[in-house]
Coordinates of all heavy atoms in Angstrom, one line a residue:
M1 N -13.3 -11.6 14.4 CA -12.4 -10.4 14.4 C -13.0 -9.4 13.5 O -13.1 -8.2 13.9 CB -11.0 -10.9 14.1 CG -10.1 -9.7 13.8 SD -8.4 -10.0 13.4 CE -7.8 -10.1 15.0
F2 N -13.2 -9.7 12.2 CA -13.7 -8.8 11.2 C -14.6 -9.5 10.2 O -14.5 -10.7 10.1 CB -12.6 -7.9 10.6 CG -11.6 -8.8 9.7 CD1 -11.8 -8.9 8.4 CD2 -10.5 -9.3 10.4 CE1 -10.9 -9.7 7.6 CE2 -9.6 -10.0 9.6 CZ -9.7 -10.2 8.2
T3 N -15.4 -8.8 9.5 CA -16.3 -9.5 8.5 C -15.9 -9.0 7.1 O -15.3 -8.0 6.9 CB -17.8 -9.2 8.8 OG1 -18.0 -7.7 8.7 CG2 -18.2 -9.6 10.1
V4 N -16.3 -9.8 6.1 CA -16.0 -9.5 4.7 C -17.3 -9.9 3.9 O -17.8 -11.0 4.0 CB -14.8 -10.4 4.2 CG1 -14.6 -10.1 2.7 CG2 -13.6 -10.2 5.0
T5 N -17.8 -8.9 3.2 CA -19.0 -9.1 2.4 C -18.6 -10.0 1.2 O -17.5 -10.2 0.8 CB -19.6 -7.8 1.8 OG1 -18.6 -7.2 0.9 CG2 -19.9 -6.8 3.0
D6 N -19.7 -10.6 0.7 CA -19.5 -11.5 -0.5 C -18.9 -10.7 -1.7 O -18.1 -11.2 -2.5 CB -20.8 -12.1 -0.9 CG -21.3 -13.1 0.1 OD1 -20.5 -13.6 0.9 OD2 -22.5 -13.5 0.1
E7 N -19.4 -9.5 -1.8 CA -18.9 -8.6 -3.0 C -17.4 -8.3 -2.7 O -16.6 -8.3 -3.7 CB -19.7 -7.3 -3.0 CG -19.4 -6.5 -4.3 CD -19.8 -7.1 -5.6 OE1 -20.7 -8.0 -5.6 OE2 -19.3 -6.8 -6.6
A8 N -17.0 -8.0 -1.5 CA -15.6 -7.8 -1.3 C -14.7 -9.1 -1.5 O -13.6 -9.0 -2.1 CB -15.4 -7.3 0.2
A9 N -15.3 -10.2 -1.1 CA -14.6 -11.5 -1.3 C -14.4 -11.8 -2.8 O -13.3 -12.2 -3.2 CB -15.4 -12.6 -0.7
K10 N -15.4 -11.4 -3.6 CA -15.3 -11.5 -5.1 C -14.1 -10.7 -5.6 O -13.4 -11.1 -6.4 CB -16.6 -11.2 -5.7 CG -16.6 -11.3 -7.2 CD -18.0 -10.9 -7.7 CE -18.0 -10.8 -9.2 NZ -19.3 -10.3 -9.8
M11 N -14.0 -9.4 -5.1 CA -12.9 -8.6 -5.5 C -11.6 -9.1 -5.1 O -10.6 -9.0 -5.9 CB -13.1 -7.2 -4.9 CG -14.2 -6.3 -5.7 SD -14.2 -4.6 -5.1 CE -12.6 -4.0 -5.7
V12 N -11.5 -9.7 -3.9 CA -10.2 -10.3 -3.4 C -9.8 -11.4 -4.4 O -8.6 -11.5 -4.7 CB -10.4 -10.7 -2.0 CG1 -9.2 -11.6 -1.6 CG2 -10.5 -9.5 -1.0
K13 N -10.7 -12.2 -4.7 CA -10.4 -13.4 -5.6 C -9.9 -12.8 -7.0 O -9.0 -13.4 -7.5 CB -11.6 -14.3 -5.8 CG -12.1 -15.0 -4.6 CD -11.0 -15.8 -4.0 CE -11.4 -16.5 -2.7 NZ -10.4 -17.2 -2.0
E14 N -10.5 -11.8 -7.5 CA -10.0 -11.2 -8.7 C -8.6 -10.6 -8.6 O -7.8 -10.8 -9.5 CB -11.0 -10.1 -9.2 CG -12.4 -10.6 -9.6 CD -13.4 -9.5 -9.8 OE1 -13.1 -8.3 -9.8 OE2 -14.6 -9.9 -10.1
L15 N -8.4 -10.0 -7.5 CA -7.0 -9.4 -7.3 C -6.0 -10.5 -7.1 O -4.9 -10.4 -7.7 CB -7.0 -8.6 -6.0 CG -7.5 -7.2 -6.0 CD1 -7.7 -6.6 -4.6 CD2 -6.7 -6.3 -6.9
E16 N -6.4 -11.6 -6.5 CA -5.4 -12.8 -6.4 C -5.1 -13.3 -7.8 O -3.9 -13.7 -8.0 CB -6.1 -13.8 -5.5 CG -6.0 -13.4 -4.0 CD -6.8 -14.4 -3.1 OE1 -7.7 -15.1 -3.6 OE2 -6.4 -14.4 -1.9
K17 N -6.1 -13.4 -8.6 CA -5.8 -13.9 -10.0 C -4.9 -13.1 -10.7 O -4.0 -13.6 -11.5 CB -7.2 -14.0 -10.8 CG -8.0 -15.2 -10.4 CD -9.3 -15.2 -11.2 CE -10.2 -16.3 -10.7 NZ -11.5 -16.3 -11.3
K18 N -5.0 -11.8 -10.6 CA -4.2 -10.8 -11.3 C -2.7 -10.9 -10.9 O -1.8 -10.5 -11.6 CB -4.7 -9.4 -11.2 CG -6.0 -9.1 -11.9 CD -6.4 -7.7 -11.7 CE -7.7 -7.4 -12.4 NZ -8.2 -6.0 -12.1
T19 N -2.5 -11.3 -9.7 CA -1.1 -11.3 -9.1 C -0.6 -12.7 -8.9 O 0.4 -12.9 -8.2 CB -1.0 -10.6 -7.8 OG1 -2.0 -11.1 -6.9 CG2 -1.3 -9.1 -8.0
E20 N -1.2 -13.7 -9.6 CA -0.7 -15.1 -9.5 C 0.7 -15.2 -10.0 O 1.1 -14.5 -10.9 CB -1.6 -16.0 -10.4 CG -2.5 -16.9 -9.6 CD -3.4 -17.7 -10.6 OE1 -2.9 -18.2 -11.6 OE2 -4.5 -18.0 -10.2
G21 N 1.5 -16.0 -9.3 CA 2.9 -16.1 -9.6 C 3.8 -15.1 -9.0 O 5.0 -15.1 -9.2
T22 N 3.2 -14.1 -8.2 CA 4.1 -13.1 -7.5 C 4.0 -13.5 -6.0 O 3.3 -14.4 -5.6 CB 3.5 -11.7 -7.7 OG1 2.3 -11.6 -7.0 CG2 3.3 -11.4 -9.2
S23 N 4.8 -12.8 -5.3 CA 4.9 -13.0 -3.8 C 3.9 -12.1 -3.1 O 3.8 -12.2 -1.8 CB 6.3 -12.8 -3.3 OG 7.2 -13.7 -3.9
K24 N 3.2 -11.3 -3.8 CA 2.3 -10.3 -3.1 C 1.0 -11.1 -2.6 O 0.6 -12.0 -3.2 CB 1.9 -9.2 -4.1 CG 3.0 -8.3 -4.4 CD 2.5 -7.1 -5.2 CE 3.7 -6.2 -5.4 NZ 3.3 -5.0 -6.1
R25 N 0.5 -10.6 -1.5 CA -0.7 -11.2 -0.9 C -1.6 -10.1 -0.5 O -1.2 -8.9 -0.3 CB -0.3 -11.9 0.4 CG 0.7 -13.1 0.2 CD 0.0 -14.2 -0.6 NE 1.0 -15.3 -0.8 CZ 1.6 -15.5 -2.0 NH1 1.4 -14.7 -3.0 NH2 2.4 -16.5 -2.1
I26 N -2.9 -10.4 -0.3 CA -3.9 -9.5 0.2 C -3.5 -9.1 1.6 O -3.5 -10.0 2.5 CB -5.3 -10.1 0.1 CG1 -5.8 -10.4 -1.3 CG2 -6.4 -9.2 0.8 CD1 -6.0 -9.2 -2.1
T27 N -3.3 -7.8 1.8 CA -2.8 -7.3 3.1 C -3.6 -6.2 3.6 O -4.1 -5.3 2.8 CB -1.3 -6.9 2.9 OG1 -0.6 -7.9 2.3 CG2 -0.7 -6.5 4.2
I28 N -3.8 -6.2 4.9 CA -4.5 -5.1 5.6 C -3.4 -4.3 6.4 O -2.7 -4.9 7.1 CB -5.6 -5.6 6.5 CG1 -6.7 -6.4 5.8 CG2 -6.3 -4.4 7.2 CD1 -7.7 -7.1 6.7
F29 N -3.4 -3.0 6.1 CA -2.3 -2.2 6.7 C -2.8 -0.8 6.9 O -3.9 -0.5 6.5 CB -1.0 -2.2 5.8 CG -1.3 -1.8 4.3 CD1 -1.1 -0.5 4.0 CD2 -1.8 -2.7 3.4 CE1 -1.3 0.0 2.7 CE2 -2.0 -2.3 2.1 CZ -1.8 -1.0 1.7
S30 N -2.0 0.0 7.6 CA -2.4 1.4 7.8 C -1.9 2.3 6.7 O -0.8 2.2 6.1 CB -1.7 1.9 9.1 OG -1.9 3.3 9.3
S31 N -2.8 3.2 6.3 CA -2.5 4.1 5.2 C -2.4 5.5 5.8 O -2.4 6.5 5.1 CB -3.5 4.1 4.1 OG -4.8 4.5 4.6
G32 N -2.2 5.6 7.1 CA -2.2 6.9 7.8 C -3.0 6.9 9.1 O -3.4 5.8 9.5
V33 N -3.2 8.0 9.7 CA -3.9 8.1 10.9 C -5.1 9.0 10.7 O -5.0 10.1 10.1 CB -3.0 8.7 12.1 CG1 -3.8 8.8 13.3 CG2 -1.8 7.8 12.2
G34 N -6.2 8.5 11.2 CA -7.5 9.3 11.1 C -8.0 9.5 12.5 O -7.3 9.4 13.5
C35 N -9.3 9.9 12.6 CA -9.9 10.1 13.9 C -10.0 8.8 14.7 O -10.6 7.9 14.2 CB -11.3 10.7 13.7 SG -11.2 12.4 13.0
G36 N -9.4 8.7 15.8 CA -9.6 7.6 16.7 C -8.6 6.5 16.5 O -8.5 5.5 17.2
G37 N -7.8 6.5 15.4 CA -6.9 5.4 15.1 C -6.4 5.4 13.7 O -6.6 6.4 12.9
P38 N -5.7 4.4 13.3 CA -5.2 4.3 11.9 C -6.3 4.2 10.8 O -7.3 3.6 11.1 CB -4.3 3.1 11.9 CG -4.9 2.2 13.0 CD -5.4 3.1 14.0
A39 N -6.1 4.8 9.7 CA -6.9 4.5 8.5 C -6.4 3.2 7.9 O -5.2 3.1 7.6 CB -6.8 5.7 7.6
L40 N -7.3 2.3 7.8 CA -6.9 0.9 7.3 C -7.2 0.8 5.8 O -8.2 1.3 5.3 CB -7.6 -0.1 8.1 CG -7.4 -0.1 9.6 CD1 -8.1 -1.3 10.3 CD2 -5.9 -0.1 10.0
K41 N -6.3 0.1 5.1 CA -6.4 -0.1 3.7 C -6.2 -1.6 3.4 O -5.4 -2.3 4.1 CB -5.4 0.7 3.0 CG -5.4 0.7 1.5 CD -4.4 1.7 1.0 CE -4.5 1.7 -0.5 NZ -3.5 2.6 -1.2
V42 N -6.8 -2.1 2.3 CA -6.5 -3.4 1.8 C -5.9 -3.3 0.5 O -6.3 -2.6 -0.4 CB -7.9 -4.2 1.6 CG1 -7.6 -5.6 1.1 CG2 -8.6 -4.3 2.9
G43 N -4.8 -4.0 0.3 CA -4.0 -4.0 -1.0 C -3.1 -5.2 -1.2 O -3.0 -6.0 -0.2
M44 N -2.6 -5.3 -2.3 CA -1.6 -6.4 -2.6 C -0.2 -5.9 -2.2 O 0.3 -5.0 -2.7 CB -1.6 -6.7 -4.1 CG -3.0 -7.3 -4.6 SD -3.6 -8.8 -3.8 CE -2.4 -10.0 -4.3
E45 N 0.3 -6.6 -1.2 CA 1.7 -6.2 -0.6 C 2.5 -7.5 -0.4 O 1.9 -8.6 -0.3 CB 1.5 -5.5 0.7 CG 0.7 -4.2 0.6 CD 1.5 -3.1 -0.1 OE1 2.7 -3.0 0.0 OE2 0.8 -2.2 -0.8
L46 N 3.8 -7.3 -0.3 CA 4.6 -8.4 0.1 C 4.4 -8.7 1.6 O 4.4 -7.7 2.4 CB 6.1 -8.1 -0.2 CG 6.5 -7.9 -1.6 CD1 7.9 -7.4 -1.8 CD2 6.3 -9.2 -2.4
P47 N 4.2 -9.9 2.0 CA 4.0 -10.2 3.4 C 5.3 -10.0 4.2 O 6.4 -10.1 3.7 CB 3.6 -11.7 3.4 CG 4.0 -12.2 2.2 CD 4.1 -11.1 1.2
L48 N 5.1 -9.5 5.5 CA 6.2 -9.4 6.4 C 6.2 -10.6 7.4 O 5.3 -11.2 7.6 CB 6.0 -8.0 7.2 CG 6.0 -6.8 6.4 CD1 5.8 -5.5 7.3 CD2 7.2 -6.6 5.5
D49 N 7.4 -10.8 8.0 CA 7.6 -11.9 8.9 C 6.6 -11.9 10.1 O 6.2 -13.0 10.5 CB 9.0 -12.0 9.4 CG 10.0 -12.3 8.4 OD1 9.6 -12.9 7.4 OD2 11.2 -12.0 8.6
D50 N 6.2 -10.7 10.6 CA 5.3 -10.7 11.7 C 3.8 -10.5 11.4 O 3.0 -10.2 12.2 CB 5.8 -9.6 12.8 CG 5.8 -8.2 12.2 OD1 5.6 -8.0 11.0 OD2 6.0 -7.3 13.0
D51 N 3.5 -10.6 10.1 CA 2.1 -10.5 9.7 C 1.3 -11.7 10.2 O 1.8 -12.8 10.4 CB 1.9 -10.5 8.2 CG 2.3 -9.2 7.5 OD1 2.5 -8.2 8.2 OD2 2.3 -9.2 6.2
T52 N 0.0 -11.5 10.5 CA -0.9 -12.5 11.0 C -1.8 -12.9 9.8 O -2.3 -11.9 9.2 CB -1.7 -12.1 12.2 OG1 -0.9 -11.8 13.3 CG2 -2.7 -13.1 12.6
A53 N -1.9 -14.1 9.5 CA -2.8 -14.6 8.4 C -4.2 -14.9 9.0 O -4.2 -15.7 10.0 CB -2.3 -15.7 7.6
E54 N -5.3 -14.4 8.5 CA -6.6 -14.7 8.9 C -7.4 -15.0 7.7 O -7.4 -14.2 6.7 CB -7.3 -13.5 9.6 CG -6.7 -13.2 11.0 CD -7.2 -14.1 12.1 OE1 -8.3 -14.6 11.9 OE2 -6.6 -14.2 13.1
T55 N -8.2 -16.1 7.7 CA -9.1 -16.4 6.6 C -10.6 -16.1 7.0 O -11.0 -16.6 8.1 CB -9.0 -17.9 6.2 OG1 -7.6 -18.1 5.9 CG2 -9.9 -18.2 5.1
V56 N -11.2 -15.2 6.3 CA -12.6 -14.8 6.5 C -13.3 -14.9 5.2 O -12.9 -14.3 4.2 CB -12.7 -13.4 7.1 CG1 -14.1 -13.0 7.3 CG2 -11.9 -13.3 8.4
N57 N -14.5 -15.5 5.1 CA -15.3 -15.6 3.9 C -14.5 -16.1 2.7 O -14.5 -15.5 1.7 CB -16.0 -14.3 3.6 CG -17.1 -14.4 2.6 OD1 -17.5 -15.5 2.2 ND2 -17.7 -13.3 2.2
T58 N -13.7 -17.2 3.0 CA -12.8 -17.9 2.0 C -11.6 -17.1 1.5 O -10.9 -17.5 0.6 CB -13.6 -18.4 0.7 OG1 -14.0 -17.3 -0.1 CG2 -14.9 -19.1 1.1
C59 N -11.4 -15.9 2.1 CA -10.3 -15.1 1.7 C -9.2 -15.0 2.8 O -9.6 -14.8 4.0 CB -10.7 -13.6 1.4 SG -12.0 -13.6 0.1
T60 N -8.0 -15.2 2.5 CA -6.9 -15.1 3.4 C -6.3 -13.7 3.3 O -5.8 -13.3 2.3 CB -5.8 -16.2 3.2 OG1 -6.5 -17.4 3.3 CG2 -4.7 -16.0 4.2
F61 N -6.3 -13.0 4.5 CA -5.7 -11.7 4.6 C -4.5 -11.7 5.4 O -4.4 -12.4 6.5 CB -6.7 -10.7 5.2 CG -8.0 -10.5 4.5 CD1 -9.1 -11.4 4.6 CD2 -8.1 -9.4 3.6 CE1 -10.2 -11.1 3.8 CE2 -9.2 -9.1 2.9 CZ -10.3 -10.0 3.0
Y62 N -3.4 -11.0 5.1 CA -2.3 -10.8 5.9 C -2.4 -9.5 6.6 O -2.7 -8.5 5.9 CB -1.0 -10.9 5.0 CG -0.7 -12.3 4.5 CD1 -1.5 -12.8 3.5 CD2 0.2 -13.1 5.2 CE1 -1.3 -14.1 3.0 CE2 0.4 -14.4 4.7 CZ -0.4 -14.9 3.7 OH -0.2 -16.2 3.3
I63 N -2.3 -9.5 7.9 CA -2.5 -8.3 8.7 C -1.3 -7.8 9.3 O -0.6 -8.6 10.0 CB -3.6 -8.6 9.7 CG1 -4.9 -9.2 9.1 CG2 -4.0 -7.3 10.5 CD1 -5.8 -9.9 10.0
R64 N -0.9 -6.6 9.2 CA 0.3 -6.0 9.8 C 0.1 -6.0 11.3 O -0.9 -5.7 11.8 CB 0.5 -4.6 9.3 CG 0.8 -4.5 7.8 CD 2.1 -5.1 7.4 NE 2.5 -4.7 6.1 CZ 2.8 -5.5 5.1 NH1 2.7 -6.8 5.3 NH2 3.1 -5.1 3.9
A65 N 1.2 -6.5 12.0 CA 1.1 -6.6 13.4 C 0.8 -5.3 14.1 O 0.0 -5.3 15.1 CB 2.5 -7.1 13.9
S66 N 1.2 -4.2 13.6 CA 0.9 -2.9 14.2 C -0.5 -2.5 14.2 O -1.0 -1.6 15.0 CB 1.8 -1.8 13.5 OG 1.4 -1.7 12.2
I67 N -1.4 -3.1 13.3 CA -2.8 -2.7 13.2 C -3.7 -3.8 13.7 O -4.9 -3.6 13.7 CB -3.1 -2.1 11.9 CG1 -3.0 -3.2 10.7 CG2 -2.4 -0.9 11.5 CD1 -4.2 -3.8 10.4
L68 N -3.2 -4.9 14.0 CA -4.0 -6.1 14.4 C -5.1 -5.7 15.4 O -6.3 -6.0 15.2 CB -3.2 -7.2 14.8 CG -3.9 -8.6 15.1 CD1 -4.6 -9.1 13.8 CD2 -2.9 -9.6 15.6
K69 N -4.8 -5.0 16.4 CA -5.7 -4.7 17.5 C -6.8 -3.8 17.0 O -7.9 -3.7 17.6 CB -5.0 -4.2 18.7 CG -4.4 -2.8 18.5 CD -3.7 -2.4 19.8 CE -2.9 -1.1 19.5 NZ -2.1 -0.7 20.6
F70 N -6.6 -3.0 16.0 CA -7.6 -2.1 15.5 C -8.6 -2.7 14.5 O -9.6 -2.1 14.2 CB -6.9 -0.9 14.7 CG -6.0 -0.1 15.6 CD1 -4.6 -0.3 15.6 CD2 -6.5 0.9 16.4 CE1 -3.8 0.5 16.4 CE2 -5.7 1.6 17.3 CZ -4.4 1.4 17.3
L71 N -8.4 -3.9 14.2 CA -9.3 -4.6 13.2 C -10.6 -5.2 13.9 O -11.6 -5.5 13.2 CB -8.6 -5.7 12.5 CG -8.2 -5.5 11.1 CD1 -7.5 -6.8 10.6 CD2 -9.3 -5.0 10.3
E72 N -10.5 -5.3 15.2 CA -11.6 -5.9 16.0 C -13.0 -5.2 15.6 O -13.1 -4.0 15.7 CB -11.4 -5.9 17.4 CG -12.4 -6.6 18.3 CD -12.4 -8.1 18.0 OE1 -11.3 -8.7 17.9 OE2 -13.5 -8.7 17.9
G73 N -14.0 -6.0 15.1 CA -15.3 -5.5 14.8 C -15.3 -4.7 13.4 O -16.4 -4.3 13.0
S74 N -14.2 -4.7 12.7 CA -14.2 -4.0 11.4 C -15.0 -4.8 10.3 O -15.3 -6.0 10.5 CB -12.8 -3.8 10.9 OG -12.1 -2.9 11.7
H75 N -15.4 -4.1 9.3 CA -16.2 -4.7 8.2 C -15.5 -4.3 6.9 O -15.3 -3.1 6.6 CB -17.6 -4.1 8.3 CG -18.6 -4.5 7.3 ND1 -19.1 -5.8 7.4 CD2 -19.1 -4.0 6.3 CE1 -19.9 -6.0 6.4 NE2 -20.0 -4.9 5.7
I76 N -15.2 -5.3 6.0 CA -14.6 -5.0 4.7 C -15.6 -5.2 3.7 O -16.3 -6.2 3.6 CB -13.4 -5.9 4.5 CG1 -12.3 -5.7 5.5 CG2 -12.8 -5.7 3.1 CD1 -11.1 -6.6 5.5
D77 N -15.8 -4.2 2.8 CA -16.8 -4.2 1.8 C -16.2 -3.6 0.5 O -15.2 -3.0 0.5 CB -18.0 -3.3 2.3 CG -19.3 -3.6 1.4 OD1 -19.3 -4.5 0.5 OD2 -20.3 -3.0 1.7
A78 N -16.9 -3.9 -0.6 CA -16.6 -3.3 -1.9 C -17.5 -2.1 -2.1 O -18.7 -2.2 -2.0 CB -16.8 -4.3 -3.0
V79 N -16.9 -0.9 -2.3 CA -17.6 0.3 -2.4 C -17.3 1.0 -3.7 O -16.2 0.9 -4.2 CB -17.5 1.2 -1.2 CG1 -18.0 0.6 0.1 CG2 -16.0 1.7 -1.1
E80 N -18.2 1.8 -4.3 CA -18.0 2.6 -5.5 C -17.4 3.9 -5.0 O -17.9 4.5 -4.0 CB -19.3 2.9 -6.2 CG -19.8 1.7 -7.0 CD -19.0 1.3 -8.2 OE1 -18.2 2.2 -8.7 OE2 -19.0 0.1 -8.6
T81 N -16.3 4.3 -5.6 CA -15.7 5.6 -5.3 C -15.5 6.4 -6.6 O -15.8 5.9 -7.7 CB -14.3 5.4 -4.7 OG1 -13.4 4.9 -5.6 CG2 -14.4 4.4 -3.5
F82 N -15.0 7.6 -6.5 CA -14.7 8.4 -7.6 C -13.7 7.7 -8.6 O -13.8 7.8 -9.8 CB -14.1 9.7 -7.1 CG -13.7 10.6 -8.2 CD1 -14.6 11.4 -8.9 CD2 -12.3 10.8 -8.6 CE1 -14.2 12.2 -10.0 CE2 -11.9 11.6 -9.6 CZ -12.8 12.3 -10.3
W83 N -12.9 6.9 -8.0 CA -11.8 6.1 -8.8 C -12.3 4.7 -9.2 O -11.5 4.0 -9.6 CB -10.6 6.0 -8.0 CG -10.0 7.4 -7.6 CD1 -9.2 8.2 -8.4 CD2 -10.2 8.1 -6.4 NE1 -9.0 9.4 -7.7 CE2 -9.6 9.4 -6.5 CE3 -11.0 7.9 -5.3 CZ2 -9.6 10.3 -5.5 CZ3 -11.0 8.8 -4.3 CH2 -10.3 10.0 -4.4
G84 N -13.5 4.4 -9.0 CA -14.0 3.0 -9.3 C -14.2 2.2 -8.0 O -14.2 2.7 -6.9
K85 N -14.5 1.0 -8.2 CA -14.8 0.1 -7.1 C -13.6 -0.2 -6.3 O -12.5 -0.5 -6.9 CB -15.5 -1.2 -7.6 CG -16.1 -2.0 -6.4 CD -16.9 -3.2 -7.0 CE -18.4 -2.7 -6.9 NZ -19.3 -3.8 -7.2
R86 N -13.6 -0.1 -5.0 CA -12.5 -0.3 -4.1 C -12.9 -1.1 -2.9 O -14.1 -1.1 -2.5 CB -11.9 1.0 -3.5 CG -11.5 2.0 -4.6 CD -10.1 1.7 -5.1 NE -9.6 2.8 -5.9 CZ -9.2 2.6 -7.2 NH1 -9.2 1.4 -7.7 NH2 -8.7 3.6 -7.8
L87 N -11.9 -1.8 -2.2 CA -12.1 -2.5 -1.0 C -12.0 -1.4 0.1 O -11.1 -0.7 0.1 CB -11.1 -3.6 -0.8 CG -11.3 -4.8 -1.7 CD1 -10.1 -5.7 -1.6 CD2 -12.6 -5.5 -1.4
Y88 N -13.0 -1.4 1.0 CA -13.0 -0.4 2.1 C -13.1 -1.0 3.4 O -13.9 -2.0 3.6 CB -14.2 0.6 1.8 CG -14.4 1.6 2.9 CD1 -13.5 2.7 3.0 CD2 -15.4 1.5 3.9 CE1 -13.7 3.6 4.0 CE2 -15.5 2.4 4.9 CZ -14.7 3.5 5.0 OH -14.8 4.4 5.9
V89 N -12.3 -0.6 4.4 CA -12.3 -1.1 5.7 C -13.1 -0.1 6.6 O -12.6 1.0 6.8 CB -10.9 -1.4 6.3 CG1 -11.0 -2.0 7.7 CG2 -10.1 -2.3 5.4
K90 N -14.2 -0.5 7.1 CA -15.0 0.3 8.0 C -14.7 -0.1 9.4 O -15.0 -1.3 9.8 CB -16.5 0.2 7.8 CG -17.3 1.1 8.7 CD -18.8 1.0 8.3 CE -19.7 1.6 9.2 NZ -19.9 2.7 9.7
T91 N -14.1 0.8 10.2 CA -13.7 0.4 11.5 C -14.8 0.8 12.6 O -15.7 1.5 12.2 CB -12.4 1.2 11.9 OG1 -12.6 2.5 11.8 CG2 -11.2 0.7 11.0
T92 N -14.6 0.4 13.8 CA -15.6 0.7 14.8 C -15.3 2.1 15.5 O -16.1 2.5 16.4 CB -15.6 -0.4 15.9 OG1 -14.3 -0.5 16.5 CG2 -16.0 -1.7 15.3
Y93 N -14.2 2.7 15.1 CA -13.9 4.0 15.7 C -13.9 5.0 14.5 O -14.0 4.7 13.4 CB -12.5 4.0 16.3 CG -11.4 3.4 15.4 CD1 -10.8 4.2 14.5 CD2 -11.0 2.1 15.5 CE1 -9.8 3.7 13.7 CE2 -10.1 1.6 14.7 CZ -9.4 2.4 13.8 OH -8.5 1.9 13.0
G94 N -13.9 6.3 14.9 CA -13.9 7.4 13.9 C -14.4 8.7 14.5 O -14.7 8.8 15.7
C95 N -14.5 9.7 13.6 CA -14.9 11.0 14.1 C -16.5 11.0 14.3 O -17.2 10.3 13.6 CB -14.6 12.0 13.0 SG -12.9 12.2 12.7
L96 N -16.8 11.7 15.3 CA -18.3 11.9 15.5 C -18.7 13.3 15.2 O -18.0 14.2 15.1 CB -18.6 11.7 17.0 CG -18.3 10.2 17.5 CD1 -18.6 10.1 19.0 CD2 -19.2 9.3 16.7

C-alpha cells in the first residue's frame, strides 16, 4: 500500500516514546486539499473507530477512512524543513 523509509521509522519510534502512556497513535490524515487530492500528514492523534491500522517497516499507522484510498503507492520519509525534521507523505498525485 505505502512505503516507509528507515529514517522515517526511526522518527516514528521516537514519537511513540514521547507519547507513551497516552491514547494517541501515529495517524495518517488529511491536512487539507492540494492538487489532485488531499494533502496527507502524519501526526500523533487519537484513533477513531473507523481508522484502519497498517504496519509497515515495524511501525503501526492508523489511517483515517476518508483518505485510505489516496495512500496507494505513497512514500513516507523524514525530511529536513524550515521547522526541522518532519515526516512527509509523498503521494502519487500532485500538480504538474
Side-chain angles (χ1 to χ4, degrees):
M1 168 177 275
F2 61 96
T3 60
V4 178
T5 66
D6 290 341
E7 190 66 24
K10 182 179 172 185
M11 282 187 69
V12 166
K13 296 299 181 191
E14 289 170 7
L15 283 170
E16 288 173 336
K17 283 181 188 175
K18 288 180 183 178
T19 57
E20 252 179 35
T22 72
S23 298
K24 292 186 175 184
R25 301 289 180 260
I26 295 291
T27 305
I28 304 172
F29 55 97
S30 174
S31 63
V33 179
C35 296
L40 302 182
K41 183 175 180 178
V42 178
M44 297 301 291
E45 300 288 327
L46 294 173
L48 300 178
D49 291 337
D50 62 348
D51 284 354
T52 298
E54 289 281 335
T55 301
V56 178
N57 196 3
T58 72
C59 300
T60 300
F61 295 86
Y62 289 78
I63 306 161
R64 298 291 193 235
S66 60
I67 62 98
L68 186 60
K69 66 183 176 185
F70 295 101
L71 256 182
E72 189 64 41
S74 294
H75 182 72
I76 298 176
D77 198 0
V79 298
E80 286 292 336
T81 71
F82 177 78
W83 301 276
K85 194 171 257 190
R86 303 278 190 235
L87 291 168
Y88 176 74
V89 182
K90 181 176 171 51
T91 59
T92 57
Y93 51 83
C95 297
L96 296 176

